[in-house]
Amino acid sequence: MTTIAPEVKYTPKDFQSDQDVRWCPGCGDYSILAQVQRTLPLLNIRKEDYVFVSGIGCSSRFPYYVDLYGFHGIHGRAPAIATGIKLVNPKLSVWVATGDGDLLSIGGNHFIHACRKNIDLKILLFNNRIYGLTKGQYSPTSELNKVTKSSPYGSVDYPFNPVALAIGTEATFVARSMDRDPKHLQEMILRAGQHKGLAFLEIYQNCNIFNDGAFFHLTEKEYKADNVVYLKHGEPLIFGKENDKGIRMDGMTPVVVSLKDGKWSKDDLLIHNEFNEDPAYASMLAHMNEKPGLPTPVGVFRQIYKPTYDEMLHEQIRKVKEKKGEGDLRKLFFDATTWEIK
Amino acid sequence: MTTIAPEVKYTPKDFQSDQDVRWCPGCGDYSILAQVQRTLPLLNIRKEDYVFVSGIGCSSRFPYYVDLYGFHGIHGRAPAIATGIKLVNPKLSVWVATGDGDLLSIGGNHFIHACRKNIDLKILLFNNRIYGLTKGQYSPTSELNKVTKSSPYGSVDYPFNPVALAIGTEATFVARSMDRDPKHLQEMILRAGQHKGLAFLEIYQNCNIFNDGAFFHLTEKEYKADNVVYLKHGEPLIFGKENDKGIRMDGMTPVVVSLKDGKWSKDDLLIHNEFNEDPAYASMLAHMNEKPGLPTPVGVFRQIYKPTYDEMLHEQIRKVKEKKGEGDLRKLFFDATTWEIK
Amino acid sequence: MEKEIKEITHVTIRFAGDSGDGMQLTGNIFGDTTALVGNDLSTLPDYPSEIRAPAGTLYGVSGFQLHFGSQEIYTPGDQPDVLVAMNPAALKVNLKDLYPGAIIIVNEDAFDQKNLQLAHFESNPLEDGSLSQFQVIKVPITTLTLNALEGMGLSMKEMTRCKNFFVLGLTYWMFDRPLEPTINWIKEKFGKNPKIAEANEKALKAGYYFGDTAEIFTMRFSVKPAKLEPGIYRNIMGNEAIALGFVAASKKAGIPLFQGSYPITPASEILHELSALRNYDVITFQAEDEIAGICTAIGASFAGGLGVTTTSGPGFSLKSEAMGLAVMAELPLVIVDVQRAGPSTGMPTKTEQGDLLQALFGRNGEAPIPIIAAKSPADCFNAAYEASRIAIKYMTPVIVMSEGYIAQGAEPWRIPNPEDLPEIEVNFAKPEDFQETKFQPYLRNELNVRPWAIPGTPGLEHRIGGLEKRHITGEVTSDPANHEFMVKLREQKIQKIADEIPPQEVYGDPEGDLLVLGWGGTFGAIRDAVNRVRAKGYKVSQAHLFYINPMPKNLGEILHNFNKILIPELNLGQLAFVIRAKYLVPVYQLNKIQGLPFRSSEVENKIYELLGVK
Amino acid sequence: MEKEIKEITHVTIRFAGDSGDGMQLTGNIFGDTTALVGNDLSTLPDYPSEIRAPAGTLYGVSGFQLHFGSQEIYTPGDQPDVLVAMNPAALKVNLKDLYPGAIIIVNEDAFDQKNLQLAHFESNPLEDGSLSQFQVIKVPITTLTLNALEGMGLSMKEMTRCKNFFVLGLTYWMFDRPLEPTINWIKEKFGKNPKIAEANEKALKAGYYFGDTAEIFTMRFSVKPAKLEPGIYRNIMGNEAIALGFVAASKKAGIPLFQGSYPITPASEILHELSALRNYDVITFQAEDEIAGICTAIGASFAGGLGVTTTSGPGFSLKSEAMGLAVMAELPLVIVDVQRAGPSTGMPTKTEQGDLLQALFGRNGEAPIPIIAAKSPADCFNAAYEASRIAIKYMTPVIVMSEGYIAQGAEPWRIPNPEDLPEIEVNFAKPEDFQETKFQPYLRNELNVRPWAIPGTPGLEHRIGGLEKRHITGEVTSDPANHEFMVKLREQKIQKIADEIPPQEVYGDPEGDLLVLGWGGTFGAIRDAVNRVRAKGYKVSQAHLFYINPMPKNLGEILHNFNKILIPELNLGQLAFVIRAKYLVPVYQLNKIQGLPFRSSEVENKIYELLGVK
Ligand SMILES: Cc1ncc(C[n+]2csc(CCOP(=O)(O)OP(=O)(O)O)c2C)c(N)n1
Ligand SMILES: Cc1ncc(C[n+]2csc(CCOP(=O)(O)OP(=O)(O)O)c2C)c(N)n1
Ligand code: SF4
Ligand code: SF4
Ligand SMILES: [Mg+2]
Ligand SMILES: [Mg+2]
């Protein structure tokens, strides 16, 4: 990430390209685009130092719509392409815009390896739990028994929990947000952009054509308060329409308690610690909503710092140069037993 | 897994093929082979119903050495080949023999998807933390800063924790053992073979040529007791040369306590529960030894039951047949608006 | 007023509108009715790669073309005789394709300022005289539909949606088609929603009667039934036909069908079709990627199933390594490549024939694979079936080449009697056959084919894989002589298939001035062109390859019987390259790489050029 | 007793023993010394795919062959004149390759019952007369080594390990080589362990003196220095040379080198070499698989580096899809395929030329890529350098074809002066150049090359990718005419490279009875064969292709100047196929698919056959 401040202050308009946006009217991708365009000006990065890389999918059309350096790659390979970019020029701020099929189906291997290596990429996963561009097959995040074009009798695939998978790789920044919560989404994009190391942000995104309403139980007014808990560092986990419910740890198990009946107070609740180094803590949060009655967490599950791959690589280059001197072609050629023929 | 008992009782010899074993003398693979040959007779499965599938690597030569149906596939693809076999004939007991490069580097995607789908495969990972067959490059499980042929200045790759990765996919059976603990290894192979669903068994394996001693701090007499804790269901986590140390939970964090100074007793310790459905529990165990002073767990981290992919698939086939009747070609051909030309 | 009905032999009509205008449905129903009255026909949808482009935009236009006639129909038609344009964008996009003098029916209501602007029209083409070469029929389709449905208590949105049935009625009147089949279809389809059913029926009839009564139409057309081979027919899309071909093969062989595939345009429908056929012992596995798709299929074949994998160009590339494994393992496997415009992601919804050389050579080492190419939607059935038969009989992977054009296009298919399909024999190795010796997985029969011994069979335990194996025993070896022997044997095994495939047929005379040689979906355009020049007395014939590897044994001879050879292809000349290399004959090329099929006129013109006809 | 020294012009020697016997080291040191005395030479290791096969087994034999002479040496030698066999297995495995009359030096000590059995000898070949056609020299190498080291206080294991230096000393005596360079080498290498250094030196001398004094040797040989082009030389392996070629290109271009690779035999050494060159601005990225390897390299090029990816057949297959992306994105990229015996996993440590057609055609759609093939270990440097130069100049992926045979083989390399290497100019697009108009990523120069604008440059923000793009602007479009234009343009851009590459050279007369046309590692065997038949007065010439796509412009003309054309290849005839297709000329083929290089005698015999010489 470049640290040199841009000479000019940017506005969202600076990040809008001249291309017609070709998503379906009503698609959640529009909101994500808008929030990215609103957030980038807040990062201390020059426009020309951003690169957006994507694979293939509706979501992967993203780079065309931001007026930045962009690479619309091939299906699933965006993390690899982005890695090459970042390693050659570590000053760039390299982002991956991808879908649940692109990143987690065909691209799964590159994803887990980028996480493992802590390459300084920002990965925005547009998770609509469906293959949009190919017109509606189930994806690795679709729920079991899902009826789609390729599963007319219901799929027999258990879904990935992308946040849990990322935590399994020990990714250094793992967060979740929703297309229909613009403020929160902006905050998460900002946080991802500021993180030094691999930042993984899962964004629940509505595909109103092939999977409409997949997240309405989390995003729509009538359900949201009871089904979503916002993770905030240093604060207790509280949710509910009247902020009347909290999460308490019963040993290693999170449970919901009422704050109304006087039995439990805020002080009894789990206080969120983003910086907990133990992946098991974030894993507990990631699996929370699989238990009946527990809400889905959004926010930053985990943020830790450890040297990034690109840092260590370039540090190694620096050290070797220090020790051996700048590489000299002639020296290299002659670095063997030689003899002369006259 | 077939449930029909074999007519004959097998001995380990029945599982030895006529091929010369071509691993380096002293390689840990020999022990794994021997333990598999000793264990298979104990499973209630007919010889002809076993299939061993592998990718490429020293470890992937395994199928040649057991006198069973075998498929020595291509690099990284064993889980996919095995999946096809299992789905066409769910009665077969399908095993994957693989290495840390084969399964976790090039094959990572097939691995996590097989885990996610809970396909009834038994995966034996020969983890020697090195690429053996290609003569010694670092692998995705090699430790940071490892000096190898492809990293003469030390690698800048953080390793995967294979057990944690598998837990991140919510695999239904996750275990670990060591080539130099034959008894335990046999028990783990047996348990994997008996599990209904995807069974993942990581085996620490010594490559005495390219990574000799990688696990000696865990496998050799002088260190083992202090560095390894055996997970046993329903029992407290105790270790140490004199069984004098235990693991206690301090909130969500495991800590080592002494059983000698009278402050703590067995009753204060963490009691292992393999069947804990929450992946966060297994995740805590998986990351335990990353904390200073904590031992490396071996044994079964997690075993839960949920319907397997192959079960659900064939159940769906059964149901559709029940509803629509056995497929009839003529009916299929005519399933559209038709007209006759005379 | 009785209107004149003019008899014509064939006509091409294109329905075009916004993605939301229901043009695909309109075209499909028109096709069904047309088939029912006994015409031969061919159809082709053409839609944007955007899922739902904003209304009124140029890139949001969705079209459906239909060519039908009283004679044999080989293509969806070069240039439409009739265009239905639901809005200015649809007019703009399609105008360049029309015959001069074509009839254009426009929805006048949609030509407002906003839509004109979205379509980048500077002035209203309905008024500025720019369409003077066409017969423009302006119909206020929206208004008329709304009028017809007034008072039914439907919402505006629901009413507007019916306008495609109005269009359908209007075109039925124009081409003298019956309404009943469509009315029945509506009743069945919207059974659960009788109000919508009624509305659609009303709109349909309103369109029909409007044609009848309005003064603007002066002409009706009638197209007599075609003389087709007797039999029972249905319409079929190429991808559907592939699915049915596989199911038929697996049923005839008596083994389960396993499809390992990853969705990709324009091949996904094969997966969709097969996934609905669980009761046919069809296992579809939506894999995590194309590599897993083919590898699961290989595993399935090892276990005794018919493993197939289906994809398009980019996915086909990804399968390269595993195809080599299948060659080495000598297991039955069918790989379908529904080609689309490349290279790379290219133009995903557009057709092309760019993958032929990849199919032949896109693997490391000498890895021969038989190749079969379908020539039309219905022929996809034959290709899938024959590929499966060869795969099983010869224990080999087989590639089926299809193209977006025929995969998404449809035509009547004479439904075969399942009993009449060629036999597919499966002889799994049996323990009894190997009581004297150990089982030898690379022992070969007279066709050089090794035995198929499947897990679960006692006593035949054996190991296969991608390393070179010793002849007969299958042991891993790097013995030099054995390797050369095996490489040649694998090649010969494939070439030997030529002994049983039918000789190449020549359409027209067996010798002459020009042979037009083709493969795949160019068949129809070539046939039409050849028919036309033959009708003028020129000595031009057609040979169209179904078997591309190995090629029919008599092909060399055929080529030498003509003065010139023309190879039209939707690529830069890939078959031409192979023919030159194999037969050392000069060939002329006609290449089009536009994401579009040939027009027969393009082939025709090239033929005249080569004949020296002005 | 003074022993006669016979002068010979060239000799081939092979060292063979167990993997643990140190034969690779022995061979390498012998090679270094041989080079120092001024012989030309060529070497080839040959080891088993097992890492450490059990001692004494046939498949555990490791060999190293060396051909050196006072004339130009083009191959590591057809058949050894001298074999050193450290045990029965080494004898068994290598016997079939020897010249009749060859000298065999055996370690007598190793011919015990156990080893004979492991080598599947039924009786002791040293005693049963079966070696009567050879000159067998039995030396108790182990015993003599142990004797020499007695009393040094070394362990048995340490002492036995020294026996390869005994062998080295013995062969030095035989071929009259100096001991000093090796003694110096030992001192440097084992500096930290003076005892071992001393032991090895002792063993070396013991071997030398044994030759001198023992009665069993009657003959010594001397090979005079060769007349090579003046200059400073070093030995170089093919894979090493590729690595140096890339570093040189990146330094000359002034951009960082990025290698994204996944280990695979026989290409891994390129990764090993480059990973040690961090101070040369070399970034090596050991990727998770071959697809990530090429994709990271593509990303690296997008960011302004020289992206390269190196692999062998199976990995090359996996890169197919991404190669298409590089074609579409028009970015510099070099892909190295070190071919090995296929198909599939095949025989990983054995050589072959089976991937040529895959390199040409193994991608979906029309995706032309330039191809360059190295002919020898040292030529790998030129191939890597020239490929990089073309990739950068033409903004295109380029494929370098190498082979296990030359990748692992070594020969003297005349070290070039870095200043004399061809210039590689990098012109990143600059903001200044695009002040009037918006930046246009697909605007082209006179060579049809688009600009390279790298992230970090203000004002040139743009997007590229795998979808078809509009000419000049680079916008995504499926406009039919544009697609055809772009497909042809990409093809022409590559074909236009032929305008600048040097015309094909012909070795020998420019016309004649027979032209032997080859590519890649067959060069040496062909050159030797052609030299021999030319020496007999036959009109035979050689043309060896460095540029395979596009081919030199004058090749067609050359082909027509010969009565017959012979194409020897280590495959079933892949270049032959291309030549037939491109030039419509008949060609004769000589194909060997045994995982082994040609012997020049094989080529020679084929030439005589075609010339009708008995
Ligand atoms: C190699 C390859 N395989 C398959 C495809 C077809 N394909 C394009 S996008 C896509 C899935 C898209 O799903 P997702 O990533 O979730 O994106 P969305 O459209 O839902 O945003 C597929 C399968 C392709 N383009 N390339
Ligand atoms: C597609 C492909 N890429 C690379 C290789 C080369 N290769 C063979 S085995 C191997 C790694 C083996 O490591 P691991 O799986 O850990 O097995 P081990 O030898 O250590 O048991 C590699 C990179 C290959 N055979 N195929
Ligand atoms: S198909 Fe779904 S994800 Fe794609 S653009 Fe339309 S609404 Fe968005
Ligand atoms: S290289 Fe290592 S893993 Fe491979 S056989 Fe030898 S000791 Fe075992
Ligand atoms: Mg999606
Ligand atoms: Mg390993």
Side-chain angles (χ1 to χ4, degrees), chain B residues 39 182-192 194 231 300:
Chain B
T39 306
K183 279 271 149 59
H184 186 258
L185 180 50
Q186 285 170 40
E187 189 196 324
M188 290 300 110
I189 294 168
L190 188 68
R191 290 283 308 272
Q194 289 167 336
L231 302 173
V300 177

Side-chain angles (χ1 to χ4, degrees), chain A residues 31-273:
Chain A
S31 164
I32 305 177
L33 175 61
Q35 307 332 318
V36 168
Q37 287 165 336
R38 271 175 210 146
T39 307
L40 296 188
L42 308 178
L43 288 164
N44 225 2
I45 298 170
R46 284 194 298 224
K47 220 186 121 171
E48 62 269 24
D49 289 337
Y50 282 108
V51 186
F52 272 77
V53 184
S54 67
I56 304 286
C58 294
S59 35
S60 288
R61 292 226 153 204
F62 193 92
Y64 294 118
Y65 307 139
V66 283
D67 187 32
L68 299 170
Y69 283 98
F71 202 138
H72 182 210
I74 42 179
H75 197 33
R77 316 303 171 188
I81 296 172
T83 295
I85 295 171
K86 182 74 191 176
L87 297 188
V88 160
N89 186 351
K91 283 199 235 120
L92 300 172
S93 174
V94 184
W95 297 63
V96 171
T98 180
D100 41 324
D102 194 57
L103 187 74
L104 299 177
S105 195
I106 190 167
N109 206 30
H110 310 305
F111 172 54
I112 60 176
H113 281 270
C115 288
R116 160 172 84 82
K117 295 184 177 179
N118 196 29
I119 293 166
D120 188 16
L121 308 176
K122 319 297 152 209
I123 301 182
L124 307 180
L125 168 62
F126 297 39
N127 183 5
N128 55 13
R129 295 194 174 153
I130 200 82
Y131 290 175
L133 192 66
T134 47
K135 303 197 174 164
Q137 299 83 11
Y138 63 100
S139 91
T141 56
S142 297
E143 61 281 13
L144 189 67
N145 294 322
K146 185 158 195 86
V147 173
T148 68
K149 283 199 184 129
S150 57
S151 57
Y153 299 111
S155 74
V156 294
D157 282 50
Y158 298 101
F160 273 134
N161 176 335
V163 161
L165 181 64
I167 293 165
T169 68
E170 297 171 49
T172 53
F173 178 98
V174 180
R176 181 188 287 147
S177 192
M178 308 184 285
D179 57 354
R180 299 191 173 211
D181 190 342
K183 280 268 150 58
H184 186 259
L185 180 51
Q186 285 170 41
E187 189 195 327
M188 290 302 109
I189 295 168
L190 188 67
R191 291 283 307 274
Q194 290 166 335
H195 177 67
K196 184 137 196 58
L198 189 131
F200 172 63
L201 173 58
E202 177 186 25
I203 305 167
Y204 288 156
Q205 173 242 327
N206 192 41
C207 166
N208 54 310
I209 301 295
F210 296 114
N211 201 18
D212 199 23
F215 303 104
F216 281 2
H217 64 294
L218 304 174
T219 55
E220 302 314 279
K221 255 220 183 101
E222 53 274 47
Y223 316 113
K224 185 169 167 178
D226 284 328
N227 291 339
V228 172
V229 58
Y230 285 82
L231 302 172
K232 291 174 199 146
H233 179 70
E235 293 188 21
L237 272 67
I238 295 179
F239 67 110
K241 278 207 189 63
E242 293 148 31
N243 281 329
D244 54 348
K245 291 184 273 191
I247 309 281
R248 225 195 105 244
M249 291 309 293
D250 180 8
M252 285 175 272
T253 311
V255 292
V256 174
V257 295
S258 166
L259 300 175
K260 275 202 301 207
D261 57 11
K263 197 171 163 206
W264 304 103
S265 81
K266 286 191 182 179
D267 302 339
D268 300 309
L269 302 184
L270 171 62
I271 307 293
H272 181 46
N273 177 9

Side-chain angles (χ1 to χ4, degrees), chain C residues 223-269:
Chain C
V223 181
K224 287 265 144 71
K227 282 159 294 296
L228 295 174
E229 212 179 323
I232 298 180
Y233 283 78
R234 61 175 280 191
N235 250 335
I236 200 160
M237 275 180 50
N239 278 342
E240 229 181 327
I242 292 213
L244 295 193
F246 282 141
V247 178
S250 98
K251 281 277 160 201
K252 287 291 270 198
I255 56 177
L257 177 65
F258 178 96
Q259 180 191 26
S261 288
Y262 188 68
I264 189 167
T265 305
S268 303
E269 293 83 7

Side-chain angles (χ1 to χ4, degrees), chain B residues 22-24 26-29 58-59 128 130 132-133 205-210, chain D residues 51-52:
Chain B
R22 297 193 178 186
W23 289 311
C24 306
C27 175
D29 290 353
C58 294
S59 36
N128 55 12
I130 200 82
L133 192 66
Q205 173 243 326
N206 191 42
C207 167
N208 54 311
I209 300 296
F210 296 113
Chain D
I51 304 304
R52 289 278 187 285

Side-chain angles (χ1 to χ4, degrees), chain B residues 164-177:
Chain B
L165 181 64
I167 292 166
T169 68
E170 297 171 49
T172 53
F173 178 98
V174 181
R176 181 188 287 147
S177 191

